[in-house]
């Protein structure tokens, strides 16, 4: 099914095997604030690497796996079947960096990240700038051979484990005054401090603190690309991450669909399996139908990328994939809680965990409303047939 090659299937099978090894640890993580023992997590990271599930998006000549977009989707789909972000050990560094990074940046930041020796985080969103990234007020001012960074960043995912950050600010002064620029900031660095670590709906080991950057000095060699380039990197990253969000949502929906099908066949009420009730059957049927539709959309989007589709078309299709797959997974999780009944409200139940965890898939990397705006904009500019 889905026209996968033998290689695609082997990659998919390795990712499935790895995910099956993680699933038994979900409840331990859930009841322990998202954390497993450090050695256990280190073991998972090593195993993911050994199975070829890390840096799948990075070129082989830099030590990455050099997978096709479809193969990357197949890995992330399997990884999406496990809750509590235990699958995040299958890390994917920012692939756009290979195009713009200097030799120094490749050696100091990117190649070690591909090898799993360094970890990045993204400091872009601010209190007043989320969907509208252009509204950021963080600044970067050139001072001799350095830049001086100032700003307060929200939701900085994985700050607690990362050892460098991508910081986006607006240039203050100079030829590109008011334009965006992106910088690499080693962590810890003088002037970078956590203001607050809020609690979020999901229970994962990666925190999302609010981080202040106060007069943080970085060498000019830490500027990514050129002054004024900052926004284009964010767009490039969004396009990639949106497709991967969609892939993980397929995995979550597929796990839930398997679990509710099994439960509905086993759970007896009034002397018969609940699967005999038409209302339960309708929910099961809707889950699988929507999962099939979403998977076809996501795989086709990945194939278009591999075939070298126009980058604007890729952008629109990745938005459609993220929009549909994340909303589909949310509906599947809601039905799954319902089918499990009271059990579905217990934190030890996979449906309860996914019900909370999947909610953010409609928010981060661009909300559903933002995806719809992107899709409609492209439809009006290029016509619907350019995209689908
Ligand atoms: C758990 C988590 C982790 C995150 N990790 C990171 C991270 O690592 N780094 C980082 O930089 N950011 C991160 N983010 C930020 C995330 O990308 C933003 O939350 C998201 O882009 C939405 O921005 P916002 O929260 O400011 O909402 P807002 O932009 O304030 O939006 C509020 C509402 O208005 C709607 N809206 C906005 N614009 C439009 C429009 N044009 N048309 C219609 N409706 C619109 C939105 O859809 C939403 O419903 C994270 C967020 C969360 C929740």
């Amino acid at each position: 099914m889905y026209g996968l090659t033998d290689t695609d299937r082997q990659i998919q099978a390795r990712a499935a095997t790895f995910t099956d090894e993680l699933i038994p640890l979900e409840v331990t993580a859930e009841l322990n604030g998202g954390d497993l023992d450090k050695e256990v997590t280190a073991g998972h990271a090593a195993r993911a690497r050994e199975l070829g599930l890390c840096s799948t998006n990075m070129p082989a000549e830099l030590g990455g796996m050099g997978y096709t977009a479809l193969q990357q989707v197949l890995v992330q789909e399997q990884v999406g079947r496990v809750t509590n972000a235990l699958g995040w050990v299958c890390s994917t560094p920012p692939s756009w960096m290979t195009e713009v990074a200097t030799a120094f940046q490749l050696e100091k930041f990117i190649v070690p990240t591909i090898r799993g020796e360094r970890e990045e985080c993204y400091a872009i969103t601010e209190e007043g700038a989320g969907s509208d990234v252009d509204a950021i007020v963080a600044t970067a001012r050139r001072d001799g051979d350095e830049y001086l960074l100032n700003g307060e960043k929200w939701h900085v995912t994985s700050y607690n484990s990362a050892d460098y950050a991508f910081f986006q600010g607006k240039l203050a002064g100079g030829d590109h005054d008011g334009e965006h620029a992106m910088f690499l900031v080693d962590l810890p660095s003088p002037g970078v401090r956590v203001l607050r670590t809020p609690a979020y709906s999901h229970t994962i080991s990666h925190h999302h603190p609010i981080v202040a950057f106060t007069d943080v000095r970085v060498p000019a060699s830490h500027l990514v690309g050129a002054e004024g380039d900052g926004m284009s990197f964010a767009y490039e990253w969004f396009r990639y991450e949106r497709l991967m969000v969609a892939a993980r949502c397929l995995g979550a929906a597929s796990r839930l669909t398997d679990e509710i099908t099994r439960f509905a066949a086993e759970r007896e009420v009034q002397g018969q399996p609940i699967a005999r009730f038409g209302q339960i059957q309708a929910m099961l049927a809707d889950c699988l139908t929507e999962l099939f539709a979403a998977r076809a959309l996501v795989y086709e989007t990945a194939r278009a990328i591999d075939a070298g589709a126009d980058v604007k078309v890729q952008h629109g299709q990745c938005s459609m994939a993220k929009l549909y797959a994340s909303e589909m997974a949310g509906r599947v999780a809601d039905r799954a809680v319902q089918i499990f009944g009271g059990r579905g409200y217990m934190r030890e139940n996979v449906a309860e965990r996914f019900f909370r965890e999947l909610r953010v898939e409609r928010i981060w990397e661009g909300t559903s409303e933002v995806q719809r705006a992107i899709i409609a904009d492209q439809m009006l500019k290029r016509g619907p047939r350019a995209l689908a």
Side-chain angles (χ1 to χ4, degrees), residues 178-195:
E179 293 177 26
H180 288 249
M182 192 177 265
F183 299 87
L184 292 152
V185 182
D186 281 306
L187 298 175
S189 271
V192 184
R193 75 196 157 97
V194 171
L195 294 179

Side-chain angles (χ1 to χ4, degrees), residues 122 124-125 130-131 155-157 200 208 360 363-365 367 369:
Y122 296 84
I124 298 171
T125 301
S131 305
H155 312 296
V156 185
T157 298
Y200 286 69
H208 318 280
V360 77
I363 295 171
W364 59 15
E365 309 303 342
T367 63
E369 291 72 33

